[in-house]
């Protein structure tokens, strides 16, 4: 059921104007927006919101989660929200902006027509692209919670986080579209996990609702084979590492606004599906390429390889820096489309970015066409403080509909002082380059937790080459069955443990299985080893 | 003998655990988007939007667009020559309504549509929003682009739909 829900969410999420940080453009490329004179947006939260909602778990506090979500966008822009309790249960035009979980026939009707997404925002606007009303609806057919903090747990529980969904939908309510940056709250699947905003989201909000002077922009064109590239994904990487992106319009032009002064590496990539996976089904072909708006129903330019400008682009306050690309048309043979994490024996690929806390290490899995040609030197993380652990690269395969698909597994370590925000993983061979933009979401551990219910991230998978600072408050658990001490438990090591337990091998074959020191290997110790192999050595 | 049985239990338990938890590594035919969509769609067809009209809903609260699709090739289900599909959003007079999620269909658009019969009225909805609409790309000689960027021919789409129907 969860898988189905994810499919539906994905379908629904991808249905709208997917792109980079994107404004909802109407005729004349005018972005939807709220006039300053119409602010604050006064949301009426339906009176049923609270304990007892059928589609929210009993231990949840949806009102507190909504309050947190309502604080995010005003905190980074000049947008302002007010909220109070109201009696309107249904979405629809009535000059009132509502937030509702209510299970009514009208709301179910709306979700059916929208393809059953998890959340839905309706917005009414005039010919000048001025929004006059926005209604945020939670699907009455889904289950929501405020007490589960990780994607894995949400996935297992078949639930969605109230604050994350609300933050995403409120982004739509203020005029934002989906983003091609995976770490962004406006990533089509972001409503599954992040409760906070990414630099890509913040830049988008500030385009519509500026916070003051002092920002600059990068503008230019992308041409492929001499023609204007339409829908090319242009990404600016800040000196600290986080990424902000936009799409080119039909004339090949783009502008990335609201950039802090400084130097940026800029690259362009085809919007050909950053990844096409969903949890539990790594072969399903879903991605981020289903845009509408000005990009809707039209063939995007994707016949070119990812290209970086050779020189960093310097952005100054109040000025536009030029960064244009003239590329040859080319067929892509390198295309990372699966993203997730790995243990020694399993892969877990999902359609959400991988979050890593600063000061920790994580095994990453990325699969897709041509990745078997990428050696370790060909994998890099854009920006400082995040790097690939030397010697950690492995190549595995999964069978997708009869076609073997290479999966690169490698460890990424994040410095304790690494800046928070999305990071791109870049893969290169001697012929091609490809990127997963914002595939890693770095969470600075000294940053405030997104909600009072947030917990510390899981301990990193240890590796021999790990350089991350150990977490002072978390003593490492014994790594039962890690015979060679490399921080991972392999099938071979498990077999050794079984041999000792069965009496066919001496304890010296792998004394690490003998957790309690009784010179024997018990079933409990084997189970610990299996768990370590499957979920990570220190889990 | 009893000890041997216990040893086998241990072995079986371990093998079982590994088999349960290894599929992420050795997963087989996991089902691509087309099969996933086809599984839950009532109608799968290549269609062309020959007419569409935005209108207020009966209660006057939302704007919906009713698109008439001319069926050019039916791959699953039953449908007449034309199928009416209703999606959220549109413009009526000087008022426009948009929706954060949901399919959009443009006049003249030709695509493979995965449709479900609405439980609310005499129309269909696009299953899964825009992902349930695989647009034909003329420059790629009639191939269809999936959401991941891969392109498939109509024959490949039809084969996947039929394969799903046989499961």
């Amino acid at each position: 059921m969860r898988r189905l829900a994810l499919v539906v969410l994905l379908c629904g999420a991808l249905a709208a104007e997917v792109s980079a940080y994107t404004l909802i453009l109407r005729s004349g490329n005018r972005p939807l927006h709220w006039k300053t004179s119409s602010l604050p947006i006064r949301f009426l939260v339906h009176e049923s919101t609270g304990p007892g909602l059928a589609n929210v778990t009993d231990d949840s506090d949806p009102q507190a989660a909504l309050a947190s979500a309502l604080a995010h966008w005003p905190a980074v822009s000049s947008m302002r929200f007010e909220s109070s309790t109201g009696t309107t249960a249904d979405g629809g035009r009535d000059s009132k902006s509502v937030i509702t979980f209510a299970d009514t026939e009208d709301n179910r009707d709306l979700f059916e027509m929208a393809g059953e997404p998890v959340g839905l925002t309706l917005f009414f606007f005039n010919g000048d692209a001025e929004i006059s009303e926005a209604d945020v609806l939670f699907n009455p057919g889904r289950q929501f919670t405020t007490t589960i903090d990780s994607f894995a747990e949400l996935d297992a529980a078949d639930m969605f986080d109230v604050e994350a969904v609300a933050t995403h939908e409120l982004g739509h309510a203020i005029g934002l579209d989906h983003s091609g940056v995976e770490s962004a709250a406006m990533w089509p699947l972001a409503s599954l996990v992040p409760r906070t905003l990414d630099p890509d989201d913040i830049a988008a909000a500030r385009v519509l609702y500026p916070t003051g002077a002092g920002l600059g922009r990068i503008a230019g064109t992308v041409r492929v084979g001499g023609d204007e590239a339409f829908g090319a994904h242009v990404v600016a990487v800040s000196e600290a590492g986080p990424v902000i992106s936009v799409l080119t319009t039909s004339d090949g032009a783009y502008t990335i606004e609201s950039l802090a002064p400084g130097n940026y590496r800029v690259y362009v990539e085809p919007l050909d599906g950053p990844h096409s996976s969903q949890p539990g089904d790594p072969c399903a072909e879903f991605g981020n390429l289903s845009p509408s708006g000005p990009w809707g129903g039209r063939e995007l330019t994707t016949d070119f390889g990812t290209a970086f400008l050779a020189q960093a682009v310097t952005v100054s306050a109040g000025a536009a820096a030029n960064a244009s690309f003239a590329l040859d048309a080319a067929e892509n043979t390198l295309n990372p489309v699966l993203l997730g994490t790995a243990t020694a024996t399993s892969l877990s690929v999902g359609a959400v970015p991988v979050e890593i806390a600063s000061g920790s290490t994580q095994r990453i899995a990325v699969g897709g066409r041509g990745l078997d040609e990428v050696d370790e030197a060909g994998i890099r993380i854009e920006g400082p403080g995040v790097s690939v652990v030397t010697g950690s690269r492995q190549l595995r395969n999964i069978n997708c509909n009869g076609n073997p698909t290479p999966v690169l597994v490698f460890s990424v370590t994040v410095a304790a002082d690494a800046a928070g925000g999305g990071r791109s993983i870049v893969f290169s061979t001697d012929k091609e380059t490809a990127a997963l933009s914002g595939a890693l979401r770095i969470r600075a551990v000294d940053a405030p937790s997104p909600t009072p219910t947030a917990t510390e991230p899981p301990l990193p998978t240890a590796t021999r080459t790990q350089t991350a600072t150990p977490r002072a408050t978390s003593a490492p658990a014994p790594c039962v069955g890690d015979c060679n001490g490399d921080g991972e438990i392999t099938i071979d090591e498990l077999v050794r443990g079984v041999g000792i337990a069965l009496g066919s091998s001496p304890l010296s074959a792998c004394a690490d299985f003998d957790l309690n020191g009784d010179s024997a290997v018990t079933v409990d110790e084997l189970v610990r080893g299996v768990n370590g192999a499957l979920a990570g050595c220190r889990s | 003998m009893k000890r041997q049985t216990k040893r086998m239990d241990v072995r079986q338990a371990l093998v079982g655990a590994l088999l349960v938890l290894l599929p992420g590594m050795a997963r087989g035919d996991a089902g691509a988007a087309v099969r996933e969509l086809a599984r839950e769609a009532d109608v799968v067809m290549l269609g062309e939007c020959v007419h569409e009209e935005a209108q207020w809903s009966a209660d006057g609260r939302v704007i919906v667009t009713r698109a008439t699709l001319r069926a050019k090739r039916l791959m699953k289900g039953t449908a007449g020559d034309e199928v009416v599909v209703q999606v959220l959003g549109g413009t009526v007079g000087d008022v426009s309504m948009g929706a954060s999620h949901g399919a959009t269909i443009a006049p003249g658009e030709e695509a493979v549509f995965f449709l479900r019969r609405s439980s609310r009225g005499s129309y269909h909805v696009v299953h899964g929003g825009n992902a349930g609409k695989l647009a034909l790309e003329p420059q790629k000689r009639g191939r269809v682009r999936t959401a991941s960027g891969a392109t498939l021919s109509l024959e490949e789409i039809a084969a996947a739909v039929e394969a799903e129907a046989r499961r």
Side-chain angles (χ1 to χ4, degrees), chain B residues 1-151:
Chain B
M1 188 62 192
K2 189 174 181 181
R3 180 174 171 76
Q4 180 65 29
T5 301
K6 186 173 182 180
R7 282 177 178 169
M8 289 309 294
D9 288 345
V10 172
R11 190 191 301 269
Q12 287 166 353
L14 279 170
V15 171
L18 288 171
L19 287 176
V20 166
L21 292 155
L22 281 174
M25 185 172 140
R27 195 177 186 92
D29 183 0
V34 171
R35 290 188 188 181
E36 194 79 46
L37 290 164
R39 186 177 307 148
E40 296 172 357
D42 298 314
V43 174
V44 182
M45 68 175 200
L46 172 66
E48 179 183 4
C49 177
V50 294
H51 176 73
E52 71 171 28
E53 183 175 8
Q55 60 191 45
W56 284 99
S57 59
D59 62 5
R61 290 181 61 84
V62 297
I63 296 174
V64 298
T65 294
R66 291 174 72 89
T68 303
L69 306 180
R70 178 171 297 150
K72 304 180 85 170
R73 177 175 176 175
L74 187 64
M75 300 179 186
K76 179 184 177 183
T78 56
D81 292 341
E82 294 186 341
V83 175
V84 174
V85 176
Q86 190 160 300
V87 298
L88 285 174
T91 298
V92 178
D94 57 357
V95 179
S96 296
M97 189 193 92
S100 61
H101 307 99
T104 57
I105 301 173
E109 188 173 9
E110 193 171 353
V112 176
F113 293 91
F114 297 77
L115 305 174
R116 298 191 76 169
R117 290 188 187 84
S118 172
S119 58
R120 319 280 170 180
S122 56
Y123 55 86
H124 286 73
V125 296
V126 181
H127 176 49
N130 248 8
K133 182 194 76 176
L134 306 180
L136 280 183
E137 298 200 347
Q139 290 181 31
K140 293 188 169 56
R141 297 180 183 84
R143 292 174 71 82
V144 171
R145 180 187 292 277
T146 67
S148 67
T151 59

Side-chain angles (χ1 to χ4, degrees), chain A residues 23-349:
Chain A
L23 315 176
I24 303 173
L25 302 180
R26 310 313 297 184
S27 60
N29 282 348
R30 284 179 299 180
L32 286 192
H33 64 283
W34 291 78
K35 283 194 304 182
T36 303
S37 60
S38 60
L39 301 182
I41 305 174
R42 293 184 170 84
F43 283 106
L44 297 176
V45 180
H46 186 240
E47 58 189 359
S48 69
T49 305
L53 275 173
N55 57 342
V56 180
T57 57
D58 290 341
D59 58 349
S60 292
D61 186 347
Q63 289 181 326
L66 289 179
S68 294
L70 285 162
H72 291 318
W73 296 104
V76 301
S77 69
S78 56
M79 169 51 67
R80 287 177 292 142
F81 294 146
E82 284 183 1
S83 65
S84 58
T85 301
T87 58
T88 304
D90 298 327
R93 192 184 188 208
D94 56 5
S95 301
K96 300 172 186 172
S97 293
V98 303
I99 300 176
T100 177
F101 288 80
D103 186 358
T104 66
E105 282 297 309
D106 284 350
N107 287 347
R108 284 189 175 262
D109 194 11
L110 295 173
F111 276 99
E112 182 190 71
M113 275 190 282
E116 299 294 345
V118 171
L120 176 64
T121 300
L122 305 179
F123 37 88
F124 295 88
F125 55 97
N126 63 19
D128 293 323
E130 295 166 346
I131 306 173
S132 57
E133 177 184 346
D135 297 332
V136 173
L137 291 76
F138 288 75
N139 193 328
R142 305 276 182 232
Q143 279 293 310
F144 299 91
T145 183
T146 66
T147 60
I148 298 177
D149 300 308
S150 75
F151 170 71
E153 291 176 79
L154 284 167
D155 185 40
D158 193 11
M159 291 181 187
F160 301 91
D161 183 76
V162 173
E163 184 178 346
V165 173
T167 301
H168 179 90
E169 294 302 327
L170 287 169
H172 290 308
I174 67 173
L176 302 186
D177 210 329
H178 288 138
S179 172
V181 171
E182 301 184 37
S183 52
M186 296 311 293
W187 168 247
L189 288 164
S191 57
L192 286 168
V193 181
R195 295 166 171 160
T196 55
L197 302 182
D198 188 78
D200 186 73
D201 304 307
I202 295 169
R206 287 178 176 169
V207 172
L208 295 177
Y209 311 102
T211 53
L215 300 176
R217 60 189 183 276
I218 299 173
T221 58
V222 178
R223 300 179 74 87
V224 173
D227 297 327
E228 297 87 357
F230 177 56
H233 192 205
V234 185
V235 184
V237 185
S238 70
E239 289 172 285
V243 295
I244 298 170
S245 74
V246 296
L247 285 183
T248 57
T249 48
S250 57
D251 56 359
Y254 76 91
T255 302
I256 308 176
E257 298 186 65
S258 299
L259 296 175
N263 293 322
Y264 291 81
R265 278 174 60 77
V266 181
Y267 66 89
V268 60
E269 63 168 343
L271 193 65
D272 56 358
H275 56 69
S276 61
S277 59
Q278 57 177 315
D281 194 349
C283 302
E285 290 188 356
F286 290 98
N288 78 336
L289 189 63
S290 186
S292 58
W295 298 276
R298 297 178 60 185
E299 190 170 347
L300 305 186
T301 305
T302 58
D303 58 339
F304 64 95
T306 299
F308 281 73
L309 287 180
Q311 303 293 326
V313 176
T314 300
V315 172
S316 302
N322 183 272
S324 293
F325 296 82
L327 308 172
D328 293 329
E331 187 72 23
N332 292 312
T333 61
L334 181 64
N335 189 15
V337 292
L338 306 172
L339 171 65
T341 57
T343 68
T345 55
S346 66
L347 301 174
S348 174
V349 288

